[in-house]
Amino acid sequence: MCGIVAIVGKSPVAPLIVDALKRLEYRGYDSAGVATVEHGKLGRRRAEGKLVNLDRRLKDEPLGGTIGIGHTRWATHGVPNETNAHPHFSDGVAIVHNGIIENFAELRDELRRDGYEFTSQTDTEVVAHLVARELAQGAAPVDAAHNALKRLQGAFALAIMFSDDEDLIVGARNGPPLAVGHGEGEMFLGSDAIALAPFTNSITYLEDGDWVVVRSNAMQIFDMDGNKVERRRQQSLSTSFMVDKGNRRHFMEKEIHEQPEVIGHTLAHYLDFTKGAARPFDLPFDFASLDRIAISACGTAYLAGLIGKYWFERYARLPVDIDVASEFRYREIPISKQSAAFFVSQSGETADTLASLRYCRKAGVPIGAIVNVRESTIARESDIVLPTLAGPEIGVASTKAFTCQLSVLAALAVRAASARGTISPDQERAMVRSLSEVPRFATQALKLEGQIEQVSRELSHYRHVLYLGRDTNYPLAMEGALKLKEISYIHAEGYAAGELKHGPIALIDEQMPVIVIAPHDRIFEKTVSNMQEVAARGGKIILITDRKGAANATVKTLETIILPDVPEFVAPIVYALPIQMLAYYTAVFMGTDVDQPRNLAKSVTVE
Ligand code: F6R
């Protein structure tokens, strides 16, 4: 999603802004731009595509000035080209924007009637003209910005700069995050603390409805009525974080390989391996007295939640209502007073997930946030933060955050089952022991990389792929399909293996590889029947299983990938790794932009 950086500084800011924008690349974008003010004049460079293109533009035509705003744009209104790239200008006003101005069409018509000409297809340009019109009518810059902000509906983060004041940037937040960075005689604005990390770790997060006047030596935050408000200044943990691929080709590859370690950290946070029990940290509810829980999330995080549902229901006998957040937020779901709600999000900023959280907040139930970014909005608005300790995830396709989300959900399911008396102390010890072994199983799974790379070479020749699984392997099949389509652009579907004959079997022919995720568990034989149905129709099977499964599969496979024998409870965490590697290597063979696939954003701050 779009990224914003703004600096009121003391040295030339254009290169600093581009450098900070690079730290926001992980959010996904398709064009970029920077504007500065020098000697009372606005200057701007913009470029379609990656930041190297903007870098090149700046090398050919450098921009001076010690105040500036920069932007990476993820297109919502208008194609990703140079004209639509931010910053947008209007008569001495420059603007960058993340989000959607919902009433832009109405405002555009009004501004056109007043003679303003639009040069882009964006919703953002209306804001530049609105501010410029206020200035033309005699308002001072800060008032002009405030008056314009009051006209806007929708979700936005904005930074506004003026040619007539080289010591002023106005920022605003209503939805997507925006943080103020405090420097020595210089001040910053950024979409997150990671962007500002090279400059400062002293951060103030704006809250929804806040706007801020930033000058080199001071800043003041206001609410929409113009009242001064105080927000806490905090030390960000992001400063020590270096964006680095190590010796890997891609962040995604590095992040896949980090999993044994980060899963271990995450599990140890929630489980006492010595005692063989879930840690008894304070929760704002008692699992024993809940009648159900609600879970909501988007994409991969939703699929983690769906696996969590299987665990909570099977082991803790606790019913789970789960929905993708874009549906959850509008469906007017009845929320039981005896429930708790969990929101799963790597970024902690996903707009739909945040809206679902706020819906549950209104319903008055306790809220837990399973998030990777602890300083995020979802974390801040929850009653308890249940962190995934995956470390920063830069690859747009989620890998280590997913397995860490699963780790938190598995540990919570153990805690819930123990509190509700649905497992005995011996069973709890056995479940905790199984989880403690996951980092080792994950390390063994990574050793299959060579074989998976070969299978992926074959997969890259097909246009469609089907994934099948039963039980917790069904959401995992959907995750496999999601991962493959988002980074390799090969069409893929994940199905419950038992649903095959209710439709998708019509797709099976020699051109349809079918990836079956089937450890030798209670229902393995059922999945074997489904594989036979595929094989009988010429489908090419890639089976991901364990030794016993391989020995008992009784069907011809194109390839069988044999994972270590793992307890059924933890299998989805371990089986996620070959699924991720398959997608990764297929994308590498396809030659796509693995870490920043087209059209995708890491942090989806618009609905
Ligand atoms: C897929 C992927 C997305 C995210 C989704 C939610 O690999 O990364 O589907 O899972 O956009 O994002 P978060 O977890 O930040 O709420």
Side-chain angles (χ1 to χ4, degrees), residues 297-302 344-350 353 378 393 395-399 401 405 479 482-483 486 600-604:
C298 298
T300 289
Y302 161 74
V344 190
S345 176
Q346 189 286 126
S347 62
E349 299 295 349
T350 303
T353 310
I378 289 175
E393 190 179 66
V396 163
S398 189
T399 52
Q405 286 159 356
E479 169 61 6
L482 176 60
K483 213 92 298 173
E486 70 181 324
L600 288 180
K602 184 72 181 160
S603 183
V604 184

